[in-house]
DNA sequence: GGCTTGTTGAGACTCTTTCCCAACAAGCAA
DNA sequence: TTGCTTGTTGGGAAAGAGTCTCAACAAGCC
């Protein structure tokens, strides 16, 4: 009997981690012979101050507003550090409509996304059944699975309401 | 009892279509008040002459080699026509590593992909179970599902062999 | 404090895709 | 067929995302 038959829950369950993100990153930097610099600290603190999906541009923008002066982090450094954070396993990177979007990986539960094509909102869910299915396909094809990207496209509840309202208005005319 | 429990087959089953791709495209063009032009014909014939995953650049290259002279199709026209073919439902577009990849949609069975991160090869599979799962998640979250993108990352059989061979060599040293 | 070496920021550059526009050619009607 | 109207094409410029170059800078270490 599969989990989904029983009504698998798609809610996310939180994950406990031992170290704060910056300390975890410092471990990674040390292991790689890299340095713990001011820009890297600023960026990590900012990124992990809230759970969100964001892109490089938004981050550059936010950091610019936060510290306009000499403490600002440059565009190349933002891109470089984002890559390092992905490499270090602190961030997860995904492509949505040809644009790179990042989110927490370290300390945040595994999940996939529902993408509203009307408003661009991303919502999350987790499914063990999906993992099982993925691994079964890999096994059958002799493919060694290391991960996946799964994005469900459609219309979120809010946008559905909006659309219905629109439609009602039109019907009245 | 779920399909996957019984050992769902992930093979693709072919699809019969009434019209050749170009005629199907002509219907679309007509419906949109667009014209059936030489470049559009050349491009569609070429694209549907073989089943393959391809990107805009490869297509531009191939078309350039095929007709070097005045019959060549320009870069903007390739991009424009690819968009029209997606719009018309003849091609499907996906993003892999931040780059747009196209493949047949019209007359080709629905499927998802295994992506080998070593060699870049794409292999295909189909799973009804995945569709059911996707729709179940949507239902639970009040999300109207219109489609999805599912890419399984990993290492293909061939690259696994190569890696093992490498490893053996190293072990001998 | 001084030295070594990784890092940063400014700006140039790459790559993919789109835009602009004058020349061109489908489609249609005479 | 010819001529007209209007959508289409191709060259080149431009936009958007991300990377590279390199001189000035600052961690880390003595
Ligand atoms: Zn929405
Ligand atoms: Zn997420
Ligand atoms: Zn491979
Ligand atoms: Zn495919």
């Amino acid at each position: 009997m599969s989990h989904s038959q029983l009504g698998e829950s798609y809610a996310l369950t939180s994950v406990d981690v031992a170290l704060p993100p910056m300390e975890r990153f410092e471990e990674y930097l040390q292991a790689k012979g890299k340095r713990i610099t001011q820009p890297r600290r600023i960026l990590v603190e900012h990124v992990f101050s809230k759970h969100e999906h964001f892109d490089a541009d938004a981050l550059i923008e936010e950091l610019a507003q936060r510290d306009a002066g000499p403490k600002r982090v440059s565009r190349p450094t933002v891109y470089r550090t984002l890559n390092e954070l992905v490499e270090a396993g602190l961030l997860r990177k995904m492509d949505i409509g040809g644009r790179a979007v990042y989110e927490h990986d370290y300390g945040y539960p595994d999940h996939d996304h529902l993408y509203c094509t009307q408003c661009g909102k991303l919502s999350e869910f987790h499914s063990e059944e999906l993992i099982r299915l993925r691994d079964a396909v890999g096994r059958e094809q002799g493919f060694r699975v290391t991960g996946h990207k799964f994005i469900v496209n459609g219309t979120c509840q809010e946008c559905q309401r909006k659309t219905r309202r629109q439609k009602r208005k039109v019907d009245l005319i």
Side-chain angles (χ1 to χ4, degrees), chain A:
Chain A
M1 203 173 346
S2 88
H3 214 179
S4 73
Q5 294 313 108
L6 291 172
E8 181 184 25
S9 163
Y10 302 114
L12 304 187
T13 52
S14 63
V15 174
D16 284 325
V17 286
L19 293 175
M22 189 56 214
E23 286 179 40
R24 179 73 196 68
F25 190 36
E26 288 179 13
E27 277 186 353
Y28 165 85
L29 292 171
Q30 227 126 41
K32 291 272 182 180
K34 296 185 163 190
R35 291 174 184 173
I36 299 164
T37 65
Q38 209 49 30
R40 292 211 249 244
R41 247 194 294 263
I42 293 172
L43 195 146
V44 171
E45 291 308 339
H46 180 85
V47 161
F48 279 89
S49 68
K50 57 184 187 299
H51 276 309
E52 247 181 33
H53 300 99
F54 64 94
D55 59 19
D57 221 45
L59 180 54
I60 291 167
E61 191 66 26
E62 287 173 24
L63 289 175
Q65 290 203 274
R66 194 182 174 122
D67 306 293
K71 293 207 307 181
R72 61 173 284 286
V73 182
S74 69
R75 196 155 45 97
T77 298
V78 168
Y79 278 105
R80 276 186 298 238
T81 309
L82 284 175
N83 287 337
E84 289 165 347
L85 287 170
V86 169
E87 167 84 29
L90 295 209
L91 289 183
R92 183 187 311 174
K93 179 182 183 177
M94 58 191 147
D95 280 296
I96 292 184
R99 137 187 254 83
V101 175
Y102 298 85
E103 68 176 332
H104 299 181
D105 190 354
Y106 181 68
Y108 198 72
D110 263 341
H111 61 278
D112 293 285
H113 296 93
L114 300 168
Y115 176 61
C116 177
T117 48
Q118 311 259 312
C119 68
K121 197 178 73 180
L122 282 175
S123 33
E124 307 181 333
F125 68 93
H126 175 78
S127 167
E128 281 302 323
E129 182 65 18
L130 177 68
I131 307 297
R132 270 195 291 277
L133 172 59
R134 177 195 84 174
D135 294 343
V137 174
R139 253 193 315 280
E140 190 185 86
Q141 310 228 356
F143 188 91
R144 188 173 57 225
V145 174
T146 58
H148 72 268
K149 295 280 156 69
F150 186 37
I151 294 181
V152 179
N153 297 306
T155 314
C156 75
Q157 223 157 11
E158 207 174 326
C159 287
Q160 286 178 52
R161 268 199 293 276
K162 256 182 253 160
T163 307
R164 266 198 296 279
R165 233 176 285 140
Q166 280 297 329
K167 201 170 166 302
R168 222 176 298 137
K169 256 189 201 153
V170 172
D171 287 348
L172 287 175
I173 295 169

